[in-house]
Amino acid sequence: LKFPSIPTQLGMIECESDRADILNTIDETADVSMVDGEVLISGTPLEGGNGWMTCKENLDRILDLIAHVQMKEATTVFELALWKEKMMEDSVIGDRNGNREACRIDVPG
């Protein structure tokens, strides 16, 4: 069985170490492999009819990890955008030196 959305989502991850962590998780997951950029699940555990839940749990674990990394990257970009906007506001107000530290904004999560 092929799961084309996983390589697509994996390709959107910018951080090499995060991408490597996900690939390692795929490699370590039983009956799941990555071949020529495709995520494949062996049909062997599905033959008895009882293996689908295990396959689903494995896929969910991989997808949850991808979602976590994507959220982490999105949060970082969002924080940088807010910080830049705050720096621009201070620049317009007249603080051309810009206290960078004072402009930092923490996004919960």
Side-chain angles (χ1 to χ4, degrees), residues 67-80:
H68 171 77
V69 169
Q70 288 173 331
M71 182 61 73
K72 184 172 72 170
E73 286 185 355
T75 301
T76 301
V77 171
F78 184 62
E79 286 175 334
L80 287 171

Side-chain angles (χ1 to χ4, degrees), residues 13-30:
I13 293 174
E14 298 292 327
C15 181
E16 287 294 325
S17 64
D18 287 338
R19 190 176 306 127
D21 288 344
I22 294 167
L23 289 172
N24 286 338
T25 299
I26 291 171
D27 288 341
E28 293 168 358
T29 303

Side-chain angles (χ1 to χ4, degrees), residues 28-104:
E28 293 168 358
T29 303
D31 300 316
V32 178
S33 61
M34 188 135 185
V35 179
D36 296 329
E38 298 279 349
V39 174
L40 306 172
I41 290 186
S42 168
T44 306
L46 302 178
E47 290 175 358
N50 297 329
W52 175 244
M53 287 308 293
T54 302
C55 289
K56 182 180 178 321
E57 289 168 4
N58 290 338
L59 283 174
D60 285 344
R61 191 175 66 156
I62 293 166
L63 290 172
D64 287 346
L65 180 57
I66 291 172
H68 171 77
V69 169
Q70 288 173 331
M71 182 61 73
K72 184 172 72 170
E73 286 185 355
T75 301
T76 301
V77 171
F78 184 62
E79 286 175 334
L80 287 171
L82 290 173
W83 178 65
K84 182 178 179 182
E85 181 60 29
K86 183 76 169 144
M87 291 289 291
M88 297 296 285
E89 284 175 13
D90 286 356
S91 175
V92 169
I93 292 171
D95 184 7
R96 297 245 179 241
N97 295 330
N99 182 352
R100 297 172 76 109
E101 191 65 35
C103 293
R104 297 207 176 199

